[in-house]
Amino acid sequence: VDTIDGFAQRMHISQVFTSMVIIPFFSNVAEQVSAFLFAYRNEMDLCIGVTVGSAIQIATFVLPGSVLMGYFMDDVPMTLFFRGYETVCLFFSVLVVGAILQGGTTNWMTGCML
């Protein structure tokens, strides 16, 4: 957790962005590459399954795990309290994924939204 703080300060980005975007992105590179290849081969069911599964994995394990590790390692005040911007982004991303899954059909614009 101290490494996240140092990285965020050196790169002049927030800790929230680092823990919610950068760490999950690099921890799931293999899944993202496979989802891209499935989309390229027009296997959208597999692509959406990998993408949504990866997002659920991050939301249910990585974020709470980071908070717990920060608490047990050094009592770093890292919480799951999201400010307005993060809450709105999370809400709209859930709406977009829900609309895509309910639609039943996909195209290139759907891939861009994901």
Side-chain angles (χ1 to χ4, degrees):
V1 176
D2 289 334
T3 307
I4 293 173
D5 294 337
F7 176 79
Q9 289 176 354
R10 280 194 312 271
M11 296 296 167
H12 305 292
I13 55 178
S14 70
Q15 292 175 349
V16 172
F17 182 79
T18 303
S19 61
M20 290 185 65
V21 175
I22 294 177
I23 291 174
F25 177 78
F26 286 110
S27 66
N28 289 328
V29 169
E31 290 179 355
Q32 294 169 3
V33 169
S34 66
F36 180 78
L37 291 174
F38 290 142
Y40 182 75
R41 294 179 191 155
N42 204 20
E43 298 174 7
M44 293 307 290
D45 291 338
L46 289 172
C47 177
I48 290 175
V50 168
T51 304
V52 172
S54 176
I56 291 171
Q57 175 187 3
I58 293 299
T60 59
F61 178 70
V62 173
L63 286 177
S66 297
V67 171
L68 291 175
M69 285 179 57
Y71 176 76
F72 288 120
M73 289 176 66
D74 197 16
D75 293 328
V76 177
M78 180 182 274
T79 66
L80 289 177
F81 175 73
F82 299 126
R83 293 182 178 86
Y85 177 73
E86 290 91 7
T87 305
V88 169
C89 288
L90 184 63
F91 178 74
F92 281 122
S93 65
V94 168
L95 284 179
V96 167
V97 170
I100 289 170
L101 294 177
Q102 291 293 325
T105 60
T106 58
N107 56 23
W108 65 272
M109 187 61 169
T110 303
C112 289
M113 285 191 297
L114 286 175

